[in-house]
Amino acid sequence: MTAAQADLQIDRPAVADGAALWRIARDSKALDLNSSYSYLLWCRDFAGTSAVARDERGEPVGFVTGYVRPERPGTLLVWQVAVDDAYRGRGIAGALLDGLVARVVAEHGVTSVETTITPGNIASERLFDAFAARHGAALEREVLFSTSLFPDGPHDPEVLYRIGPLSL
């Protein structure tokens, strides 16, 4: 943990954090924004496979949401990663991702991480490239969902990043 992260606490989200996570996602302008209801449910049902960074007042300033894939129980799917604009550039997203994956490896025995990234999301590409390098893991990319599969208008393709096996 760097000095810039030292004043932050990383732990599991609680239902009461759902609104803050929704606001952070909305304000990121990079994520597909889900309904506020979905963030409340996520904090209730997937808190064990998600993480939140809190400032000195205990307020969420960043988060990672994920779940263990039912069909591939050795794989953590990272759904969203976001950090409040005022806290960006401090390595918080990487610290959240490292902390979450270490916890999920210990609790669920996962050996790989997956996420999807739209082309041109340079910050996310760098985050996951660096994660794979830090953990000595191979990284494979392939289009998971093409543009034509999205029914609600133009959407960039979602590229699947497969990272593993992990060596933590």
Side-chain angles (χ1 to χ4, degrees), residues 34-160:
N34 299 297
S35 71
S36 58
Y37 175 69
S38 70
Y39 290 91
L40 294 169
L41 279 176
W42 203 281
C43 289
R44 184 191 77 165
D45 294 342
F46 297 106
T49 53
S50 300
V52 63
R54 299 178 190 286
D55 65 13
E56 64 280 351
R57 297 178 324 275
E59 296 299 317
V61 298
F63 70 88
V64 176
T65 54
Y67 61 89
V68 174
R69 288 191 53 201
E71 298 297 319
R72 294 184 74 186
T75 300
L76 172 68
L77 185 286
V78 174
W79 180 266
Q80 289 188 317
V81 180
V83 175
D84 183 88
D85 189 49
Y87 289 83
R88 290 188 191 145
R90 301 181 189 189
I92 294 168
L96 275 163
L97 188 56
D98 286 346
L100 173 62
V101 171
R103 176 168 32 97
V104 176
V105 164
E107 293 177 2
H108 298 278
V110 302
T111 58
S112 65
V113 171
E114 291 182 350
T115 194
T116 63
I117 302 173
T118 55
N121 184 339
I122 303 302
S124 289
E125 291 171 354
R126 287 181 181 160
L127 174 66
F128 285 93
D129 287 346
F131 174 83
R134 274 193 312 279
H135 298 287
L139 185 143
E140 299 173 1
R141 297 173 189 87
E142 67 180 82
V143 173
L144 179 64
F145 300 125
S146 67
T147 300
S148 64
L149 292 175
F150 291 92
D152 56 347
H155 191 290
D156 289 333
E158 291 286 346
V159 177
L160 177 67

